[in-house]
Amino acid sequence: MIYRVKEPFFFTIFGASGDLAKLKIFPALYSLAEQKRLPKDYFIVGFARTPKERKEFQKEFYDSVKNKIGKDLNKKILRDLVEHVYYFTGKYDQCESYKELKDFLLKLSGGKMHTHIAYFSVPPTVFKPIIKNLGECRRQKTDDIRLVIEKPFGDDSCSAEELYHFISNYFSEDQVYLLDHFLGKAGVQSILHLRQTNRILNLLLKGYEIANIQITAFEDIGIKDRVGYFEEVGIIKDMIQSHLLQILAFTTMSIPLTTKAESLHREKYSILSAINVPKKPENIVLGQYKEYKKEEGVPANSKTDTFAAIKLYIDQEEWFKVPIYLRTGKKLSAKKTNVIVEFKKFPFQNQEEEPNLLKIELSPEENIIIQLVNKYRSGASQYETIATSKSIACSGDYCLPEHGLLLLDVIRKNKCSFLSFREILASWRVTEDILNLISKHKIKVNKYDDGSGGPSLQNKLVQNDGFNWHK
Ligand code: BG6
């Protein structure tokens, strides 16, 4: 049954003039309006520092959605949606602004305090003043307020922990939604659903049966106007710390026995906290695309990695010595995200034969593919692979973009598509192990051609173990 929101709500976007808001949040709200999932009364408030007239913000909202949706736009729906959009000029670090915000909201709703979703679309440097003031300057502490905070949560395990404790001075854990937009992707959700509903598949996804797992997230775009951010973080914090480790956890965890978020979080944590980064430097390959230094603002001596391939293990009996390879990079030949599980061969089998594979494609299309090897009846040593493929993309009228789905989940208090703090902390520890290894061994950043498949050294990473990257 399709879920429609019945109760009115306030939705405040902190950092309403930023790219995240324009490219993801406004279009997500449109998708909810288009599918008639929003109630009669709701109030979208852009909170930002720059003074602006409501009309001007409504136009920005309208234009961002129009640009994003393109020719399929339903102008009437967007015009109606924009009627629910307001603007509030405030200072992130001033208590007074938050008191005024509260009065502003109450005025809009005719004095009723509804569920209030506070969306953090601001750089992490301003998280704290917003959290503090939202917490301290609310007049009634019983308000139903929910904070939505996008990754990156913290900059390392220490700052993540510190931020978490900071938040807990003002809000309880159930009020905080820690968001990684990959969890809103239909394909990522399908990994869990396929595993939970198919014993066959789940029996296959046992460490004992698996030769290796390859998780790839390639992008064809470069860093463009995000140089400032990227120079600070690099590809490992940007992509591996949350997105790829989450995919890894979904693929390898024991399936949760209940549909409760705590069950899912517990199983993912069990994997993330057992990840072992091998200590040898040959287990990491780094790269930087050749044109990176020509991007505006990149220092001439930048060693920032825009590509990384890494081998990891999971320290659990079932996964003993099963290599898990992660690789991700920018400015590569195409955008593609996938998980490929390579199954073991029988010891008596010809080891040169193609392996059996389970592939889960997450982007650009969402498919599940099972590839089996068969022997031609005619030839003694001729083999063919039989592939069976099925789309796992959401189809029909009620599919939502990632942020649309995640916003609905905040409203219906479904924490399954959000991260627990323990998972974030465990992921930071893995990230730190990787970064420490890089700095300890001064691992070289290899140049690679724009539009290529990344540095060729990545092949050695898998070949050292007798494998190849699967296409
Ligand atoms: C973001 C990263 O979290 O995810 C970006 O900061 C990256 O660098 C993006 O491009 C990838 O997301 P998607 O949904 O386009 O695969």
Side-chain angles (χ1 to χ4, degrees):
M1 221 182 44
I2 172 163
Y3 173 75
R4 296 182 203 279
V5 185
K6 299 237 166 44
E7 300 301 321
F9 63 87
F10 301 117
F11 184 76
T12 303
I13 309 168
F14 291 97
S17 357
D19 272 356
L20 174 64
K22 287 183 181 158
L23 296 174
K24 302 281 188 177
I25 317 295
F26 301 165
L29 287 161
Y30 169 81
S31 69
L32 295 177
E34 194 191 20
Q35 293 183 11
K36 303 190 173 44
R37 302 219 192 198
L38 297 175
K40 191 165 124 314
D41 293 321
Y42 61 95
F43 310 88
I44 301 166
V45 180
F47 182 122
R49 289 172 288 206
T50 324
K52 206 176 279 181
E53 289 298 320
R54 178 181 177 206
K55 279 243 154 340
E56 197 186 332
F57 182 59
Q58 284 177 311
K59 181 163 183 328
E60 276 176 29
F61 190 105
Y62 188 98
D63 291 344
S64 327
V65 177
K66 191 169 144 217
N67 290 340
K68 179 80 188 215
I69 307 292
K71 61 176 178 32
D72 293 332
L73 181 79
N74 182 324
K75 287 188 183 153
K76 160 96 177 62
I77 292 176
L78 181 55
R79 274 197 304 268
D80 290 348
L81 173 66
V82 162
E83 287 308 307
H84 296 261
V85 171
Y86 302 83
Y87 189 77
F88 181 87
T89 313
K91 298 237 162 55
Y92 296 138
D93 56 355
Q94 282 184 11
C95 185
E96 211 43 46
S97 288
Y98 295 77
K99 288 185 177 153
E100 284 164 17
L101 172 69
K102 176 87 177 272
D103 295 339
F104 181 80
L105 297 179
L106 286 174
K107 204 160 150 212
L108 294 180
S109 66
K112 290 204 193 97
M113 197 57 209
H114 305 306
T115 294
H116 183 192
I117 299 165
Y119 204 103
F120 286 59
S121 174
V122 284
T125 42
V126 279
F127 282 1
K128 280 191 183 169
I130 300 178
I131 292 162
K132 176 174 187 284
N133 287 310
L134 262 181
E136 275 183 359
C137 306
R138 286 184 297 147
R139 295 200 182 112
Q140 292 129 350
K141 301 290 180 232
T142 51
D143 292 354
D144 175 9
I145 182 160
R146 303 175 200 170
L147 274 51
V148 185
I149 302 183
E150 289 242 1
K151 75 136 206 99
F153 188 83
D155 186 45
D156 53 21
S157 61
C158 214
S159 57
E161 212 158 0
E162 210 249 319
L163 181 57
Y164 187 73
H165 289 305
F166 185 85
I167 297 178
S168 47
N169 289 327
Y170 307 98
F171 298 98
S172 62
E173 187 167 1
D174 62 304
Q175 291 177 291
V176 185
Y177 290 75
L178 302 169
L179 184 151
D180 170 341
H181 77 278
F182 267 48
L183 270 57
K185 288 183 188 287
V188 176
Q189 300 242 333
S190 287
I191 301 179
L192 173 65
H193 298 145
L194 281 164
R195 295 193 56 202
Q196 266 179 325
T197 46
N198 296 283
R199 283 195 75 160
I200 300 179
L201 190 61
N202 212 46
L203 284 172
L204 286 179
L205 280 174
K206 294 280 177 247
Y208 314 111
E209 299 298 335
I210 293 171
N212 73 80
I213 298 182
Q214 305 180 2
I215 301 177
T216 298
F218 280 2
E219 291 181 88
D220 49 0
I221 51 164
I223 307 301
K224 287 197 269 179
D225 42 6
R226 297 170 75 218
V227 165
Y229 158 78
F230 210 79
E231 272 294 301
E232 289 263 307
V233 297
I235 197 81
I236 293 167
K237 286 187 180 178
D238 185 50
M239 289 295 292
I240 294 182
Q241 188 270 334
S242 193
H243 299 328
L244 294 203
L245 290 180
Q246 281 293 315
I247 296 179
L248 186 162
F250 270 102
T251 312
T252 54
M253 68 182 181
S254 302
I255 51 168
L257 297 190
T258 76
T259 50
K260 289 200 183 119
E262 300 90 82
S263 277
L264 173 62
H265 291 158
R266 187 170 55 234
E267 298 305 346
K268 282 195 287 167
Y269 174 74
S270 157
I271 291 292
L272 294 168
S273 57
I275 291 177
N276 166 349
V277 181
K279 301 286 168 287
K280 294 207 174 124
E282 55 269 28
N283 292 317
I284 301 185
V285 175
L286 299 176
Q288 186 186 76
Y289 61 86
K290 284 191 179 153
E291 295 289 306
Y292 180 68
K293 291 223 179 95
K294 296 198 183 135
E295 306 271 16
E296 209 184 314
V298 175
N301 58 353
S302 169
K303 297 232 171 359
T304 304
D305 34 61
T306 61
F307 177 98
I310 292 174
K311 175 163 87 174
L312 305 170
Y313 289 110
I314 300 169
D315 276 351
Q316 287 181 356
E317 188 226 334
E318 178 190 337
W319 292 101
F320 183 63
K321 285 204 173 158
V322 180
I324 315 242
Y325 306 105
L326 309 183
R327 60 177 176 161
T328 178
K330 307 277 185 193
K331 264 279 163 98
L332 296 163
S333 55
K335 176 156 176 92
K336 58 172 182 190
T337 314
N338 55 50
V339 182
I340 301 185
V341 180
E342 176 175 334
F343 295 101
K344 280 186 183 155
K345 292 177 185 145
F346 291 115
F348 53 81
Q349 225 180 323
N350 173 359
Q351 299 302 310
E352 300 303 307
E353 278 169 26
E354 285 290 309
N356 295 331
L357 302 176
L358 168 72
K359 304 184 188 178
I360 302 171
E361 292 179 347
L362 304 170
S363 168
E365 281 166 13
E366 292 148 323
N367 292 303
I368 179 162
I369 300 159
I370 295 180
Q371 186 177 301
L372 304 173
V373 180
N374 188 23
K375 201 171 184 178
Y376 283 132
R377 265 186 244 155
S378 54
S381 57
Q382 278 180 297
Y383 294 89
E384 62 173 355
T385 53
I386 311 167
T388 155
S389 158
K390 181 88 184 95
S391 169
I392 48 171
C394 176
S395 64
D397 294 336
Y398 295 114
C399 298
L400 287 168
E402 298 131 16
H403 282 82
L405 190 98
L406 295 171
L407 283 181
L408 267 193
D409 280 343
V410 176
I411 296 173
R412 64 180 145 177
K413 288 190 167 178
N414 172 16
K415 282 218 165 174
C416 285
S417 359
F418 294 86
L419 310 175
S420 66
F421 174 65
R422 283 205 310 167
E423 289 170 69
I424 295 183
L425 206 55
S427 303
W428 273 123
R429 296 213 167 108
V430 175
T431 310
E432 283 161 7
D433 284 351
I434 299 171
L435 295 173
N436 288 340
L437 191 63
I438 293 174
S439 70
K440 180 170 171 207
H441 294 279
K442 300 193 176 48
I443 294 178
K444 191 172 156 240
V445 180
N446 304 278
K447 290 269 179 284
Y448 61 93
D449 287 324
D450 301 24
S452 68
S456 54
L457 198 62
Q458 66 187 288
N459 295 330
K460 272 193 114 180
L461 185 75
V462 283
Q463 283 164 359
N464 285 343
D465 299 324
F467 302 119
N468 286 304
W469 291 108
H470 295 291
K471 295 271 173 333

